[in-house]
Amino acid sequence: MIKATNIHKYYNTLHVLKGVNLHIQKGEIVSIVGASGAGKTTLLQILGTLDKASSELNSRLEINGEEVTNMKDKNLSRFRNLNLGFIFQFHQLLPEFTALENVCIPGLIAKRDKKEVEIEATKLLDYLGLSHRLQHKPNELSGGEQQRVAVARALINKPAVIFADEPSGNLDTHSAENLHQLFFKLRDEFGQTFVIVTHNEELANMADRKLTMVDGNIKSPNE
Ligand SMILES: Nc1ncnc2c1ncn2[C@@H]1O[C@H](COP(=O)(O)OP(=O)(O)OP(=O)(O)O)[C@@H](O)[C@H]1O
Ligand SMILES: [Mg+2]
């Protein structure tokens, strides 16, 4: 599903990622943990094609069978819209749109039929226990509800992978637990692949594989 080879990132002279190699299988839930500043967000942004790795001779990134390393911006945006879903610490829903509209947006960007997208979005929100909140704007929802809307938005185009950066970082314990259960339910029912950066020990340990980043690289499990 994801094959990343020799990923480096420099911010000017600051060497933030130091040759990361990573393979992730379909249906796997992988957690990434590590100290603040270790490079977790930088790595997730690069895997999610939101940022570019610094060019290196044998650096490669393949997602869902496609080589994305040298894809042009326009193709990359389309690839991202169709194949990848994102969940961030702060939901990043658009405040002027309702829950339903927020979930529909990636589907409309993909130029799918509006009616079909609305039906799908309604089904997803229903599945996530939000059928009574379709017309609410983000500021009329609780933190847990906002994050579930963000999950529905991430799912609307049936992405190959969902990337999540501290998805429960802003939630109370109970809402965080619900969100974590939801990830595993989505994996069990739909084979959804997740890469999750988290400081939440419980979530990190529930994952199929827990990777620890230390100083710009993934620590090998036997270290
Ligand atoms: N745009 C940028 N320009 C310069 N340096 C940056 C930039 N973004 C991140 N960094 C630096 O790169 C390092 C890694 O940052 P990153 O955000 O990946 O850390 P992180 O592991 O996600 O940390 P946290 O757990 O605090 O979110 C940090 O030292 C940070 O200061
Ligand atoms: Mg981070």
Side-chain angles (χ1 to χ4, degrees):
M1 180 58 68
I2 300 179
K3 281 188 199 160
T5 312
N6 198 32
I7 302 291
H8 285 263
K9 182 72 178 179
Y10 291 86
Y11 290 114
N12 298 314
T13 56
L14 187 67
H15 198 182
V16 174
L17 296 181
K18 301 175 180 169
V20 175
N21 294 301
L22 180 61
H23 282 203
I24 293 170
Q25 309 296 327
K26 180 173 166 36
E28 226 188 345
I29 297 188
V30 173
S31 64
I32 302 179
V33 301
S36 178
K40 304 179 299 294
T41 294
T42 306
L43 177 63
L44 201 76
Q45 297 267 330
I46 290 173
L47 296 177
T49 75
L50 295 167
D51 194 2
K52 287 244 185 243
S54 304
S55 56
E56 293 281 330
L57 274 181
N58 60 344
S59 160
R60 289 189 59 202
L61 177 59
E62 186 188 308
I63 304 174
N64 206 15
E66 286 205 54
E67 178 67 48
V68 300
T69 320
N70 298 314
M71 234 185 236
K72 296 270 179 293
D73 282 355
K74 200 168 155 226
N75 293 341
L76 197 56
S77 307
R78 180 158 175 80
F79 176 83
R80 194 185 304 126
N81 173 243
L82 293 178
N83 293 282
L84 311 179
F86 296 91
I87 302 166
F88 302 99
Q89 176 171 4
F90 301 99
H91 56 77
Q92 301 200 346
L93 300 170
L94 298 175
E96 67 272 33
F97 292 100
T98 66
L100 183 63
E101 288 166 341
N102 266 285
V103 176
C104 287
I105 288 168
L108 301 178
I109 290 173
K111 299 199 168 65
R112 289 169 56 189
D113 176 71
K114 184 160 183 255
K115 264 267 129 343
E116 176 208 304
V117 171
E118 274 175 13
I119 291 169
E120 179 80 22
T122 307
K123 268 196 218 158
L124 278 171
L125 286 165
D126 185 31
Y127 180 82
L128 301 180
L130 290 168
S131 52
H132 56 315
R133 295 286 186 270
L134 302 183
Q135 301 305 329
H136 283 233
K137 301 258 173 81
N139 67 0
E140 299 163 347
L141 296 167
S142 73
E145 289 171 343
Q146 289 169 349
Q147 216 46 332
R148 276 181 284 149
V149 175
V151 173
R153 178 185 56 183
L155 286 167
I156 190 75
N157 287 337
K158 301 195 170 62
V161 192
I162 291 184
F163 294 98
D165 196 352
E166 313 263 10
S168 48
N170 202 30
L171 298 179
D172 63 84
T173 314
H174 179 69
S175 303
E177 272 170 20
N178 280 341
L179 186 72
H180 302 161
Q181 299 294 345
L182 176 61
F183 293 156
F184 286 85
K185 190 170 158 198
L186 290 168
R187 191 276 297 279
D188 294 343
E189 290 184 18
F190 308 113
Q192 183 64 57
T193 310
F194 284 92
V195 184
I196 307 172
V197 166
T198 185
H199 284 290
N200 183 302
E201 271 298 309
E202 203 180 308
L203 172 60
N205 292 330
M206 278 162 79
D208 304 316
R209 205 142 55 95
K210 175 166 107 172
L211 304 176
T212 305
M213 283 200 77
V214 180
D215 192 23
N217 219 327
I218 292 168
K219 200 169 86 175
S220 66
N222 47 12
E223 265 174 53

